[in-house]
Amino acid sequence: MMDDQAAPRSDSLAWVGGSDAPEKSAINLGFMALTDSASLIVAATQGFAQPYGLTLNLKRQASWATLRDKLISGELDAAQGLYGLIYAVHLGIGGTPPVDMAVLMGLAQNGQSISLSHRLQAAGVITPEALAKRAHQDGAKLTLAQTFPTGTHALWLYYWLASQGIHPLNDVNTVVVPPSQMVAHLKAGRIDGFCAGEPWGAQAIAEGMGFTLATTQSIWPDHPEKVLGCTRAFVETYPNTARALILAILEASRFIDSSEENKRSTAQLLSGSDYVDAPLQAIQPRFLGQYEDGVGHAWLDRHALRFFGNGTVNMPYLSDGLWFMTQFRRWGLLRDDPDYLAIAHQVQRLDLYREAADILGMEVPTSPMRSATLLDGKVWDGTDPAGYARSFELHALTETTRPLAL
Amino acid sequence: MLRILLINDTPKKVGRLKAALIEAGFDVINESGLTIDLPERVEAIRPDVILIDTESPGRDVMEQVCLVSRDQPRPIVMFTDNDDPDVMRQAIQSGVSAYIVEGIQAQRLKPILDVAMVRFESDQALRAQLHARDQQLAERKRIELAKGMLMRMKNCSEEEAYTLMRRQAMSRQQKLIQVAEQIIAMNDMLGQ
């Protein structure tokens, strides 16, 4: 979309009534029962969208697959999304035909966790080393759950296991379970552990069903996690609606992160039966960065779940989108190298995000790439995705043999 | 199968539509005369479409149609012999999705009903958008009013007032508009 009005507007509401008014005044917004859906719930219920001419109708979804299907069918206009879900739909690798998708903004960083069952705990498997030993023993493979085949939880779990020398596709079984059902599956003994968003890791501890082996921020401090996703068709048909949505959620994100008191009351809102529907005690501590792993360690996490971080959480960095494609490639979900950068440019809607940030007078990072050192010591800065995807000792890379005649 | 509530208001041609509808494969519930309480019948039968066969839609018919479209909107198709544009306009304004003058042929019924249903859905969507817009404006006004009251009561800034209201709402798992209404009600009770 072209915009010839480059100058930021002094009054963020100036455009609402004119030709920039949202084309749709009410939209259906999908979310999952997870604490990191907070910015959507706060935006929808606390009057952040009305000033932009939008009503946000929150629609809780039972699983990521359902959310994906409704996003594609148009039943949901936009939704909380896993980075890996949006890219899998765009690339057509998740069992659905490819549909052009868009990441409007980042919603949250950090705050997922890998939990193991109390049975493993009782057997002394409470360290990465003990888990690696157990995984390499003969006998029944452990079964670990994640929330969506190409989702962030699958990829965090794979990355973490691989960093401990455990091959996620050979040394363990993995299954898909909706996040809010993880604890019940643990209780029933159907799984030995899981990687999911909160409050389900904390709830596993509260119910005496498991403990936290690792947080995802220990894999990658300030890692990208949930995004605001929609189809590209939605952005192109309703560009003003998409921008108004970004504005409302940006303001809600800033509000949540602006004080501990705001975070406490946000946690209270989330525990409501219409939203996350879980006890406050399972939600609030980790929401405030107060962690206990259930096996005697407690700490204040410097990279806990966050929603704003002065806008760095919300910027749809190209390097964030690229990283998920490198992991698809690493684990054989993509059989060939895609045109990494071109695809990231299509999906990450930097243009709309910049417009929205300008309207709110927020600073936008100058580079669309950011750099991080992950727990295995590898540096990711977005510069060589194909090389990075090939650089891991443990992988499931497949190489397609080129046919002789093209 | 579509359930159709068929209202016959044409004693001399009873049955002309019913046979055609059944032939076209619809589930038809027959009623005769508009002396019936239409909203009540719609509530009880929950039809997908309402079909009214009338020689000339009078005021009684329009009133019933108005009530249905206000309380339990459904696609309403009207078959009539009256081609007066004023009557047609009035019928559409009352909530009729399709107004068909004369000439009922079995093979044309299905496309007519399809068009009426699509038209009805797009009308409903538009109505929902307008309703959302009205409600947004109304809510914004109430929230602004409550914010002003709170600023005076607490002698605080606009931003502080919003934050206080939001924290209150969130810690009670309520929406901002609910807290705004509580502030307004309390303000009214305490006077000024």
Side-chain angles (χ1 to χ4, degrees), chain A residues 34-255:
Chain A
L34 294 165
T35 56
D36 56 21
S37 61
S39 56
L40 303 190
I41 294 167
V42 169
T45 60
Q46 302 305 314
F48 284 96
Q50 284 104 330
Y52 296 110
L54 264 189
T55 296
L56 307 180
N57 297 319
L58 290 172
K59 306 282 178 189
R60 186 170 62 195
Q61 305 302 310
S63 73
W64 287 113
T66 314
L67 179 141
R68 171 200 60 196
D69 294 345
K70 290 185 180 173
L71 205 50
I72 296 172
S73 75
E75 196 175 328
L76 295 173
D77 294 300
Q80 177 189 27
L82 300 163
Y83 246 118
L85 179 151
I86 302 292
Y87 273 83
V89 172
H90 187 85
L91 295 162
I93 59 172
T96 49
V99 175
D100 286 347
M101 298 299 287
V103 164
L104 297 179
M105 64 188 286
L107 292 178
Q109 289 178 342
N110 307 324
Q112 323 298 303
S113 56
I114 298 172
S115 306
L116 293 182
S117 69
H118 64 298
R119 273 183 308 278
L120 284 175
Q121 182 185 341
V125 182
I126 55 168
T127 60
E129 298 74 27
L131 182 68
K133 200 174 155 211
R134 170 67 181 79
H136 290 129
Q137 270 170 10
D138 288 340
K141 281 185 189 175
L142 294 176
T143 299
L144 303 177
Q146 30 86 2
T147 66
F148 190 76
T150 58
T152 51
H153 304 109
L155 299 177
W156 301 135
L157 182 65
Y158 292 2
Y159 201 100
W160 187 88
L161 290 171
S163 75
Q164 308 302 326
I166 303 168
H167 195 298
L169 306 182
N170 300 338
D171 299 340
V172 295
N173 292 322
T174 52
V175 293
V176 173
V177 171
S180 59
Q181 290 170 31
M182 289 295 185
V183 181
H185 275 69
L186 213 52
K187 198 180 284 182
R190 284 196 284 268
I191 56 175
D192 300 298
F194 66 86
C195 180
E198 297 299 338
W200 309 113
Q203 186 62 18
I205 297 172
E207 292 191 26
M209 286 299 132
F211 68 99
T212 298
L213 181 64
T215 63
T216 52
Q217 55 266 34
S218 74
I219 300 172
W220 175 352
D222 298 336
H223 68 76
E225 178 55 40
K226 302 300 188 300
V227 293
L228 180 61
C230 63
T231 61
R232 191 204 289 180
F234 178 81
V235 186
E236 285 174 0
T237 317
Y238 308 108
N240 297 338
T241 311
R243 185 177 40 209
L245 182 60
I246 298 172
L247 284 165
I249 294 171
L250 258 180
E251 289 205 279
S253 308
R254 179 162 63 184
F255 174 76

Side-chain angles (χ1 to χ4, degrees), chain B residues 24-79:
Chain B
F26 296 111
D27 178 10
V28 183
I29 298 134
N30 209 0
E31 298 278 358
S32 51
L34 266 161
T35 47
I36 58 152
D37 182 353
L38 188 55
E40 195 183 68
R41 297 303 296 147
V42 171
E43 170 86 56
I45 295 165
R46 305 199 164 274
D48 298 303
V49 180
I50 301 164
L51 245 161
I52 301 175
D53 187 7
T54 177
E55 233 159 66
S56 177
R59 184 187 293 180
D60 295 351
V61 180
M62 301 299 190
E63 260 171 26
Q64 302 249 13
V65 167
C66 266
L67 285 175
V68 170
S69 26
R70 192 193 61 197
D71 300 330
Q72 318 168 66
R74 291 286 190 292
I76 300 175
V77 180
M78 191 171 273
F79 288 89

Side-chain angles (χ1 to χ4, degrees), chain A residues 13 22-26 42 45-48 50-51 53-55 255 259 261-262 265-266 268-269 271-272, chain B residues 128-130 132-133 135-137 139-140 143 162-163 165-177:
Chain A
L13 296 181
E23 303 85 353
K24 284 188 109 170
S25 47
V42 169
T45 60
Q46 302 305 314
F48 284 96
Q50 284 104 330
L54 264 189
T55 296
F255 174 76
S259 74
E261 249 184 301
N262 287 2
S265 27
T266 302
Q268 276 167 322
L269 175 68
S271 77
Chain B
Q129 292 283 328
L130 287 175
R133 208 160 288 181
Q135 203 177 342
Q136 275 160 27
L137 267 179
E139 284 193 7
R140 274 189 72 187
I143 290 166
Y162 270 131
T163 299
M165 285 163 65
R166 283 178 171 138
R167 276 189 199 147
Q168 174 85 353
M170 295 197 303
S171 51
R172 293 165 168 228
Q173 299 172 357
Q174 290 182 335
K175 294 183 174 183
L176 182 62
I177 182 69

Side-chain angles (χ1 to χ4, degrees), chain A residues 366-387:
Chain A
T366 46
S367 171
M369 302 284 188
R370 64 182 180 125
S371 175
T373 305
L374 277 67
L375 92 161
D376 54 2
K378 295 178 77 74
V379 174
W380 166 247
D381 60 10
T383 47
D384 178 18

